[in-house]
Amino acid sequence: MATGDTSQFEKALGKARLHELNKAIGLAAHGVGIGSYVYLRRVFESLIEDAHSKAKLSDGWIEEEYEKGRMKEIIFRAEEFPT
């Protein structure tokens, strides 16, 4: 009941990530903030890794910058490349 309708995100996230998102929402609804954070982080990191896998195939990608970069820099760098 606490998850609401997250089925609209299945196409973008896939079944596994959607399950983790629902788990995060359920944990947050039951006051388990740190557990919720762990699941949300897993979803976020898997999305970042998917973008990284695609971006590193593009011309101009500098893997060393990615490896040394902070998350904010990694996200903004990935936006420069098509998905």
Side-chain angles (χ1 to χ4, degrees):
M1 290 180 66
T3 62
D5 183 19
T6 58
S7 62
Q8 61 188 344
F9 303 119
E10 185 174 354
K11 185 176 180 182
L13 296 177
K15 288 187 182 217
R17 287 188 193 132
L18 183 63
H19 176 72
E20 291 184 344
L21 176 63
N22 286 330
K23 181 79 81 169
I25 293 169
L27 288 170
H30 287 88
V32 187
I34 192 67
S36 177
Y37 172 79
V38 168
Y39 279 96
L40 285 175
R41 183 176 173 148
R42 287 176 58 154
V43 171
F44 179 75
E45 287 179 348
S46 68
L47 292 170
I48 293 296
E49 186 52 38
D50 283 355
H52 170 237
S53 296
K54 292 176 185 176
K56 70 181 179 181
L57 300 175
S58 302
D59 291 336
W61 182 259
I62 303 170
E63 186 66 19
E64 294 77 27
E65 286 183 17
Y66 174 82
E67 291 173 359
K68 292 179 184 177
R70 299 178 63 91
M71 188 54 67
K72 179 180 176 181
E73 297 158 353
I74 290 169
I75 292 169
F76 288 119
R77 179 79 171 130
E79 288 179 343
E80 298 173 14
F81 297 92
T83 55

